[in-house]
Amino acid sequence: MGIRVDETSLQKQLAEADALDRNQYDYHKMITNNTLPLTIGGGIGQSRLCMLLLEKAHIGEVQSSIWNKDMITKCAEHGITLL
């Protein structure tokens, strides 16, 4: 579970997605430079399971986080209340 990627698999996935420009992002640089743990996340996907069981449209309806103003506005326009 979680995200497991190393430099080789990252480059392969970016090439397949025609997204090599993403190598400029901090996350991708940290993977390439071996400064970030190769496993992030984990668990059993409880938030997404809750979304399914509660028939929610956005992860923010079952998990608290920090959302930007645009996301909050768009969700509000569709009757979605973020935690």
Side-chain angles (χ1 to χ4, degrees):
M1 296 231 169
I3 301 168
R4 290 176 180 85
V5 65
D6 61 12
E7 180 181 3
T8 303
S9 62
L10 174 67
Q11 294 309 313
K12 180 180 176 186
Q13 292 173 31
L14 291 176
E16 287 177 6
D18 192 27
L20 289 172
D21 59 309
R22 293 183 185 173
N23 278 314
Q24 67 180 330
Y25 299 151
D26 289 338
Y27 171 80
H28 297 75
K29 287 179 185 176
M30 292 173 76
I31 291 291
T32 301
N33 296 328
N34 294 314
T35 56
L36 189 68
L38 297 181
T39 300
I40 297 176
I44 60 170
Q46 292 172 331
S47 294
R48 284 172 178 72
L49 180 60
C50 288
M51 284 179 64
L52 174 69
L53 296 174
L54 298 172
E55 299 179 355
K56 299 297 181 180
H58 191 282
I59 192 87
E61 294 178 279
V62 297
Q63 165 185 301
S64 63
S65 189
I66 298 172
W67 307 104
N68 65 43
K69 290 181 183 183
D70 289 338
M71 181 60 64
I72 294 169
T73 301
K74 287 178 184 177
C75 287
E77 288 171 358
H78 292 91
I80 297 171
T81 303
L82 300 177
L83 300 177

